[in-house]
Every structure is written in C-alpha cells, then in structure tokens.
Amino acid sequence: MLAQHTGRPGGADRHALLLADPLSTLLAARRQDGDVVVLTDGVPVFSRGLGTAGCVAAFGAANVREVLLDAETFGRPATMAERDGLPPVVGALSSGLFSMGGAVHRQRRRAFGPLFTRRLAERCAGLVADETAALAGSWRPGEVIGLAEEMNRLSRALMGGLLFGDAAGDRGLGDGCHHLLALRRRYAATGLSDGRVRSALHAELATAGGDLQAALRARIGHHRAPGSPSGKGGFLLAGLSRARDEAGQLLPEGELAAHANAFFLAGSEPLAAALVWTVLLLTQFAGIHGELCHLLRSGEGASGRARALLEAVVRESLRVLPPNAVMVRVTTRETLLGGHRLPARCELLVSPFVAHREFAGDAPAAVFDPDRWRSARPSAFDYLPFGGGDRYCLGRHLAMTALTAALAGILRRWDLSLAGDQEIDWRLRAALVPAAEVRLLVREPGHGPVRGGRADGPLRELVRLP
C-alpha cells in the first residue's frame, strides 16, 4: 500500500473529496498531515494513468522546489491524446514543448527562450492596447456582458495576433487551435457507452487536426521562405520557424506546429482566467476598484503610483486565485521526497493555491489585499502563478504585460459591476475558472460610486469577500 511505502499515514481515502472540492481538500490535508500527504491509494485523481500507485501531495517550498527542478524524476502525466486514444494527428499536435522531457526539452527551451525579447514585449503591449480597445469599444452602456466569454475572446485575439499575425487569415490559426481543444474536451466528456457519438467525434477530431496541422505547416513554410519578413503580428511563429536543434538543423515543421498549438493554448486559457478573476474581485472591493480607476483615468494614469497599484492588483489576484491552482506530476522511478519514499508511477500534486497562502505576511491569507505586495518578497517556490523550475512559463513577463495592459484598458473605458447578486462556483479544467458565466453590467464612468451585485456561493470558501 502507498501509505506503507511512504511511511505516511493515509487516513481516509480522499478520492471523492478531491474530485468534488480539490482546493479545500488540499488545504485541509496540508493543515492536518504536513508536507507530504498520501491522498489516495492505488488510484490517481487527475492523471487517469494506468497502473498508478496512488496520489500524494507535496507542500512547502523545499518540496515544491525539489519536484519542479527534477523533471526527470517528476515527469508530466500522459496527455489527453495519449489517454483517450485520439487520432494520430491530434497526438502529434499535443506533443509540443510542455509534453517533452529530458535533454530534448532542455534544448528546446534554450532555443525558444531568446525569442521572448524586449521587442516582443513591446509588440505585445501594443497589440493588447489595440485588441482591448476594440473589445471595450464593442460594449454599450447598460449592456450585460458575459465576463468569461469576453475575456476569452480577448485572450484568443491577443495570442492569435502575437503568434500568428493580425490578418483575418492568420487569426484563423488561433480559431483552429481553440476549435480542436473544444473537440478534445467534448470527446473526453463523452461516455464510453456512447459509441456512435465517440466515433463521430473521433472522425471530426481527425479532420480538424489535419486541417490545423496543414495550416500551421504552411505558415511555417512561409516564414522559412528566403526573404520572408517576420511581419507585424507573426513575430513569435516566425522566430519559432527558424529555431534549430542541438545539431544546428531547423526543427521539423510538424514539431513546430505542435509547439505553436501548445503556446497558443498555454497562453490564452490562463490569461483569460486571470482576467476573469481579477475583474470579478475588483467588483467586490469598491475601494480598490475606485482608487485604481481614478488613477488610470486621471493625469496619473501613466505614473509610478498607478503602475504599482495595477501590478499589485494583478499579483494579488494571481495569489488568491491562481489559474494553475493544481499542477500534476508522475514519478518516473522510485524516489525520496521530504524524507519519504515514493514508488514509481505515483501521481504527485503541487498546489500553487495552497503555497500562495503560506507567505501571506501581515494580512490574512484568504483576503484579497494588494497592499501586501508593498513588502511581500516570496521565493520562486512560494509564489508560482507561472509555474517554476525546469518548466516555468517562458512567456511569464509577456503574461504580466498583457494582464496589466488589458485591465488598464478596460477600466479606463468602463465601470463594471456584477449584474445583480450571483452564486459564483468554480471548477478546475486546464485552469481554475468560474463554473458558470459571470454577468457584468457595463456603465459609463462618471455616474458616482459603482454599487453592483454581491458574489456569493462557493467562491467565498476560497477568498474572503466583503
């Protein structure tokens, strides 16, 4: 049994609790059982791998550091394509940087890292300003919008522009990546007994995957053509197209197509989730919301004070409600962690959601308080909204640029509030997101204090709200 193997008490099997309420269950496990906790015996929780020894959670900066820095021992779980027997072309598109390991993964990171330059950050800031202005300009006073729908529109437009370019044809590549992901999720959610539906979805996946791969390879070939300019919006894909392996050879087009797909999905979904939570939190904290709007709309909009508060709001939102609330690894061999022996094929959970409550400083951990960032200086393994170790997000600085610029662009233009009291639940998918759409009321600025609805429901178990 896993509990005997690790020398840790297993207690009651938490499998059902983790599926129903993973974040509260992990917080309770941390409080009750310490740094290394056996959660289930013989069955995984999130990875759905075959022959898994069970599930263990690792807490504390030292253990998190060891897990995230040793990618050889603590590997990634099987991809959705591998688990669910998806068509080969979908598997190929799922085999990008984030599913690689070993020397190949390290070499690719070295090859791609230099692409994330100051020039790209400047291009990102300009693109965010344009796309945010276009989105906010499409809203009307008194309109009720779906917050998640609008932030997903924005994040997909941003990533499509940054990766693939500004033209309508280029934007179709981002739409193709998103469409394929939606099909994959529909397939995964279909029961095994629905053979006819699964067969139809399998065929649709093969077609969509083939179309996307062909389009990505064609664009990569275009960027590789002699004299081809990088283009205003296609800079990142152009750079990827010229990346080389350890022998100095250009990377295969099929592999680059997978990297492009992975970068689009890894950038768009967490970015949208972070924007949703940040805007939602601001609707509940009138003082912070009002001060930030005042600074952004006044002559101080470009001042150090406005930038500092904007960054603190985003950092604090990422602290209390990190999109990557739970990260999953699987041991590739028997190993020691925190003095406890783990068998091979053990699912291991690292939770930024839990870790972020352990460096809170003077303010209570569950409180949304941007002022804590006046003095908070957490380590890279206490605060990790963009991952850490060998798999930290290469675009983390771009993500902060995008989040702060998008939030500033929205708040300068509109007053936003909850359209009435709403029950806000959450779920873990690729990111921590609201379980249902959040409805916001759009108002022109200048009509006095914004008094919107109250966020109730399970969200209040994660963060303390007024």
Side-chain angles (χ1 to χ4, degrees), residues 433-463:
V433 295
E437 186 58 279
V438 177
R439 303 181 309 282
L440 292 189
L441 175 64
V442 177
R443 295 176 57 196
E444 290 274 15
H447 294 281
V450 177
R451 294 185 176 87
R454 169 187 166 95
D456 288 314
L459 178 62
R460 288 183 171 269
E461 299 171 10
L462 303 187
V463 57

Side-chain angles (χ1 to χ4, degrees), residues 275-299:
L275 284 170
V276 166
W277 291 127
T278 306
V279 171
L280 176 57
L281 287 167
L282 286 174
T283 69
Q284 301 301 291
F285 289 86
I288 300 169
H289 189 185
E291 181 183 3
L292 185 55
C293 287
H294 171 74
L295 290 172
L296 291 170
R297 295 167 187 171
S298 70

Side-chain angles (χ1 to χ4, degrees), residues 176-188 201 205 265:
C177 294
H178 175 67
H179 175 61
L180 186 63
L181 177 65
L183 286 175
R184 287 164 53 187
R185 286 178 171 159
R186 283 175 55 196
Y187 186 86
L201 282 173
L205 277 163
L265 297 178

Side-chain angles (χ1 to χ4, degrees), residues 52-416:
T52 305
C55 181
V56 169
F59 303 112
N63 286 331
V64 170
R65 182 180 188 277
E66 185 171 349
V67 170
L68 297 183
L69 286 178
D70 187 355
E72 303 304 310
T73 302
F74 303 98
R76 295 292 293 245
T79 66
M80 187 187 301
E82 294 168 334
R83 291 195 316 256
D84 296 332
L86 301 185
V89 68
V90 179
L93 285 168
S94 303
S95 60
L97 182 66
F98 309 118
S99 63
M100 288 179 164
V104 174
H105 175 260
R106 291 191 292 272
Q107 192 280 327
R108 298 301 190 264
R109 287 183 66 89
R110 289 194 298 270
F112 299 157
L115 301 177
F116 293 84
T117 61
R118 182 181 297 274
R119 179 187 174 196
L120 185 62
E122 292 170 352
R123 181 164 293 155
C124 177
L127 184 63
V128 173
D130 292 344
E131 294 291 353
T132 304
L135 179 72
S138 71
W139 301 340
R140 296 292 177 264
E143 180 181 4
V144 174
I145 61 171
L147 178 58
E149 178 184 359
E150 296 299 288
M151 294 305 98
N152 274 289
R153 278 178 57 197
L154 177 59
S155 67
R156 290 198 293 269
L158 293 177
M159 287 306 300
L162 200 61
L163 270 169
F164 307 129
D166 293 318
D170 293 340
R171 190 62 54 79
L173 293 174
D175 289 343
C177 294
H178 175 67
H179 175 61
L180 186 63
L181 177 65
L183 286 175
R184 287 164 53 187
R185 286 178 171 159
R186 283 175 55 196
Y187 186 86
T190 303
L192 293 175
S193 60
D194 296 331
R196 182 177 299 178
V197 174
R198 286 178 70 87
S199 178
L201 282 173
H202 196 275
E204 194 173 352
L205 277 163
T207 299
D211 290 345
L212 176 60
Q213 187 182 66
L216 287 168
R217 294 183 67 159
R219 182 48 50 89
I220 291 163
H222 167 76
H223 284 305
R224 284 179 169 177
S228 174
S230 64
K232 179 184 177 184
F235 178 83
L236 187 53
L237 184 59
L240 287 172
S241 299
R242 297 182 174 93
R244 297 178 182 270
D245 63 18
E246 61 279 0
Q249 300 297 310
L250 289 170
L251 298 181
E253 289 181 357
E255 180 188 327
L256 287 172
H259 293 312
N261 181 53
F263 278 131
F264 180 86
L265 297 178
S268 57
E269 289 215 332
L271 177 63
L275 284 170
V276 166
W277 291 127
T278 306
V279 171
L280 176 57
L281 287 167
L282 286 174
T283 69
Q284 301 301 291
F285 289 86
I288 300 169
H289 189 185
E291 181 183 3
L292 185 55
C293 287
H294 171 74
L295 290 172
L296 291 170
R297 295 167 187 171
S298 70
E300 299 184 72
S303 70
R305 185 180 169 201
R307 288 196 302 272
L309 180 56
L310 190 62
E311 290 184 1
V313 164
V314 171
R315 291 183 188 280
E316 182 68 350
S317 172
L318 291 172
R319 187 191 71 81
V320 294
L321 295 169
N324 63 335
V326 178
M327 300 189 295
V328 183
R329 299 291 186 268
V330 176
T331 55
T332 61
R333 55 185 174 239
E334 187 172 285
T335 189
L336 286 173
L337 179 65
H340 304 287
R341 189 169 298 280
L342 302 181
R345 300 292 305 159
C346 177
E347 183 182 58
L348 186 72
L349 306 185
V350 169
S351 176
F353 174 82
V354 175
H356 291 180
R357 279 153 173 72
E358 300 194 347
F359 74 89
D362 295 334
V367 170
F368 174 74
D369 183 8
D371 277 348
R372 82 173 74 243
W373 291 95
R374 294 178 184 272
S375 58
R377 298 293 184 273
S379 78
F381 300 99
D382 288 310
Y383 181 67
L384 53 163
F386 304 109
D390 290 344
R391 295 185 180 274
Y392 70 84
C393 175
L394 288 171
R396 62 197 186 282
H397 298 305
L398 292 181
M400 281 299 295
T401 296
L403 286 167
T404 53
L407 187 62
I410 291 169
L411 296 181
R412 284 192 186 101
R413 179 67 182 84
W414 296 108
D415 282 337
L416 301 176

